[in-house]
Amino acid sequence: MRERPGASVLSRMPAYAAAHALPGQRLDGRHSKGDFAPMKLVRKPHLGIALALATLLMWTCLPAGARQNDEIRIGVLDFLGSEATVSEWSPMVRRLEASLPGHTVRLARLDHSGMRAAVAAGELDFIVTNPGHYVELEAEFGASRILTLVAGHGRSPARALGSTVLVRADRSDLRALADLRGKRVAIVGREGFGGFQLMWGALAAIGLSPDEDFAALQTVGFPMSRVLEEVANGRADAGIVRTCMLESLGEAARSFRVLAPRAEPDFPCATTTPLYPDWPLASLRHTPPALGKQVAIALLSMDAARDGLAWAVPADYQSVHELFRQLQIGPYAYLREPTLMVLAQRYWPWVAGFAVVLLGWILYTVRVEYLVQKRTAALSAALAERDRLEASARDAQEQAGHLARLSVLGELSGTLAHELNQPLATIANYANSLILRADNGRLTDAALREATGEIAAQAERASGILSRIRAFARKRTAAREAVAPAELAGEAIALSRGMMARAPDITLLDTLAPGGVIEVDRLQIQQVLLNLLKNGYDAARDLPPERQKLELTLAAAGSRLEIMVRDHGSGMDATTHSHLFEPFFTTKPDGLGLGLSICRSIAEAHGGRLAADAPADGIGTRFILTLPGLQLPSP
Ligand code: ADP
């Protein structure tokens, strides 16, 4: 932003700072490409303006950064136009050339970006600029203030700049800063220090944002008089200008009023904002310190009354830093668009917390993964072990079943002789009677047919007994088939009769509808029934014959088949009942204790169960074998 307090931008109005310039100074010198203006003051006041304009056309190029030993290159922020800027600073140039003989002072008039580029390229030894711009160059390029301007009129260099809001004198509706909400406000440009940034800070302090709360923020550009024109003709409700602008208007000031003026003692102008230090003169990183010292001494000896300009020791620009930090501009623009690093610096406790949580989560995930793998391995090992145990249990069960059948056979062998004895004796009888009849000559065809027929029948009976026993004793794997329950029970009863020395009376009570079948392993179920019948027989073996009878009942319970084996024997006490199905539990002197445990395994392998209870009349024991999958013919 091109502006400086104490300098007029309104050619038709009395200039506040122009009073400091030496009227009619004649300027001479060359300009570098576009902006550099080596100056030599020629004391012919009446030619000053013409020569200054001519100077603009006569600039010559110098290589960037090139500096002759006798040159002092000063960049000044240009906001006045060439003539005014040259006039403004000519007392300073004159003083330096007078105090530092043999030196040529080259003055470069630059705008914001031009000065920044020249500083970056090392083309300047000193800069004179507004406090806001100085703070930016200080942060970016290490510019270091050595003097602060004293603009005169008794203003302290530390309290020299402010910003005012001007409204038309007849706008009685605008009294406080807050009244600007929803209004059109004219400014020269956003880079202006006194012309915008100071007011921006004051508005922000009361919660107003120029961009969001104004109806329009109109940027009208230089000269600053345009802002006043916009307000005067009603195209803007208010205008923001630097302090002392109004006072420089003279008569024309009457048509304007300063909005919300502050009481600032010893300050000659009305201001809407607090006051900030005046422009600094700063040296740059490469400026020789000795030169800085010479320049400072020379300029400190300037007198405002005599020279129109004066300099003081550097003021404190902290208030400018604070303003920029509040507005997040200049060196604090990073606060507005935070980078990842800035975010990390600002929110490091959160970042650290997040990192800790993330780390914890990663560790937790890794640990869970490790445990899952470990447990999966353990589980597969356990499953393999279970399969192995199941396989060996199956083998053992088959082995035990085989053993049980053999043990039954052992008992059977005693009775087998008895069972086979009858057909064999009958066969022998018939054979002997045939021999006798042949010896006596009484062998008739009829007698021969009867005897041989009976022999054949008895032989078949004996062979039937043997084949049933062989089938039972054979070690085999399970095979399911659809069987009629009554047939199953009948075969078991027939087998058991062969096993028992004095076979008891066994009654089969079939309550099932005819035609029903059940899918089972025929031999296994026979084995169960045989065991139950044999146990019932054992339980009543020493009791009177009427207690030795056994009953086998077939009944349906829904789709389940119930086979009940009931005896009238000794029954069992509670201990026996509770251990009944445990392997190797037996109360018999010659018992194995495997029968019922195998029977229950067989029942469960069929999806059924085996239980025992005492019959309702309290005599003997009843075993109930329940098997699923009974298929009855549809009625
Ligand atoms: P074992 O017949 O070799 O003893 P079991 O497993 O068949 O083996 O029978 C275990 C025990 O259950 C028998 O010793 C007996 O005490 C008891 N038991 C089995 N059936 C009956 C029954 N019908 N009445 C009384 N006790 C029985």
Side-chain angles (χ1 to χ4, degrees), residues 535-586:
N535 279 349
Y537 167 75
D538 286 346
R541 195 196 287 248
D542 302 326
L543 297 177
E546 69 272 14
R547 298 278 303 267
Q548 291 184 359
K549 62 184 177 181
L550 298 171
E551 281 157 22
L552 199 153
T553 309
L554 300 174
S559 65
R560 304 175 82 85
L561 169 67
E562 284 185 347
I563 307 177
M564 282 156 292
V565 177
R566 192 246 159 110
D567 64 63
H568 296 76
S570 54
M572 32 186 180
D573 55 24
T575 316
T576 304
H577 191 256
S578 61
H579 295 100
L580 208 52
F581 296 99
E582 290 173 11
F584 305 109
F585 173 77
T586 180

Side-chain angles (χ1 to χ4, degrees), residues 177-459:
L177 266 187
D179 296 336
L180 293 178
R181 188 186 294 278
K183 299 293 184 298
R184 294 157 303 152
V185 179
I187 59 170
V188 169
R190 298 184 71 95
E191 291 176 331
F193 184 66
F196 179 65
Q197 290 167 342
L198 292 184
M199 187 57 67
W200 186 5
L203 291 166
I206 61 161
L208 270 188
S209 159
D211 294 309
E212 287 162 23
D213 297 321
F214 290 174
L217 185 66
Q218 300 164 3
T219 304
V220 297
F222 278 106
M224 209 173 248
S225 57
R226 284 198 196 151
V227 172
L228 302 179
E229 281 162 19
E230 294 293 296
V231 177
N233 63 28
R235 280 199 293 271
D237 299 299
I240 299 173
V241 293
R242 59 176 171 74
T243 43
C244 298
M245 173 81 190
L246 184 67
E247 288 76 0
S248 72
L249 293 179
E251 272 303 301
R254 287 175 189 276
S255 50
F256 298 101
R257 176 165 54 81
V258 172
L259 190 72
R262 290 168 61 93
E264 288 292 345
D266 305 328
F267 190 70
C269 309
T271 178
T272 309
T273 67
L275 298 174
Y276 288 77
D278 212 330
W279 285 33
L281 182 141
S283 62
L284 297 163
R285 277 206 183 104
H286 63 271
T287 311
L291 182 62
K293 189 175 171 186
Q294 283 176 306
V295 165
I297 292 170
L299 295 183
L300 277 171
S301 67
M302 287 179 79
D303 179 74
R306 186 188 64 216
D307 303 320
L309 272 184
W311 295 91
V313 293
D316 179 5
Y317 289 85
Q318 187 56 34
S319 56
V320 183
H321 277 280
E322 277 160 19
L323 174 74
F324 275 31
R325 187 198 301 274
Q326 176 199 354
L327 297 176
Q328 300 182 336
I329 56 174
Y332 305 98
Y334 71 92
L335 295 173
R336 191 171 286 253
E337 291 172 13
T339 61
L340 206 59
M341 185 52 81
V342 170
L343 275 178
Q345 280 169 356
R346 199 183 316 168
Y347 299 110
W348 71 264
W350 290 97
V351 172
F354 176 73
V356 167
V357 170
L358 189 69
L359 190 70
W361 179 76
I362 289 171
L363 288 177
Y364 174 75
T365 308
V366 168
R367 177 157 171 73
V368 166
E369 184 65 21
Y370 167 74
L371 287 178
V372 165
Q373 280 185 4
K374 201 169 131 187
R375 284 178 195 169
T376 306
L379 189 66
S380 14
L383 286 176
E385 178 65 8
R386 191 198 65 182
D387 290 348
R388 196 184 62 73
L389 288 175
E390 275 180 3
S392 71
R394 250 194 327 274
D395 285 352
Q397 190 178 322
E398 277 178 16
Q399 190 65 27
H402 183 59
L403 275 177
R405 282 193 293 275
L406 289 182
S407 88
V408 168
L409 276 179
E411 293 179 41
L412 200 58
S413 59
T415 55
L416 191 61
H418 169 77
E419 186 69 5
L420 289 176
N421 204 30
Q422 197 187 344
L424 289 176
T426 312
I427 289 169
N429 279 344
Y430 277 107
N432 286 334
S433 76
L434 282 179
I435 293 167
L436 213 57
R437 281 178 184 260
D439 290 348
N440 296 342
R442 290 190 292 121
L443 186 59
T444 61
D445 283 352
L448 184 62
R449 196 174 294 110
E450 187 203 338
T452 51
E454 195 60 33
I455 287 170
Q458 291 300 327

Side-chain angles (χ1 to χ4, degrees), residues 2-3 7-11 15 79-80 222-225 242 245:
R2 305 170 178 196
E3 59 173 306
S8 170
V9 293
L10 294 173
S11 56
F79 64 98
L80 298 173
F222 278 106
M224 209 173 248
S225 57
R242 59 176 171 74
M245 173 81 190

Side-chain angles (χ1 to χ4, degrees), residues 20-97:
H20 305 301
L22 296 179
Q25 284 172 346
R26 181 172 151 200
L27 308 172
D28 196 3
R30 297 163 299 155
H31 283 201
S32 70
K33 193 162 87 186
D35 283 325
F36 245 117
M39 297 173 60
K40 192 173 177 195
L41 290 170
V42 181
R43 296 185 188 279
K44 287 189 181 171
H46 59 282
L47 291 176
I49 294 172
L51 282 178
L53 286 172
T55 307
L56 286 174
L57 302 171
M58 290 168 61
W59 287 357
T60 54
C61 297
L62 273 185
R67 174 177 178 272
Q68 323 237 313
N69 280 340
D70 58 351
E71 276 182 346
I72 302 171
R73 301 167 305 176
I74 305 177
V76 293
L77 190 65
D78 178 23
F79 64 98
L80 298 173
S82 59
E83 177 197 341
T85 302
V86 171
S87 304
E88 175 75 9
W89 300 109
S90 55
M92 176 180 75
V93 173
R94 274 202 311 276
R95 168 53 54 103
L96 288 175
E97 291 193 333

Side-chain angles (χ1 to χ4, degrees), residues 521-534:
D521 184 307
R522 176 194 286 262
L523 276 184
Q524 283 187 348
I525 300 302
Q526 273 184 9
Q527 182 183 341
V528 174
L529 298 182
L530 210 53
N531 231 304
L532 298 179
L533 290 170
K534 161 94 174 25

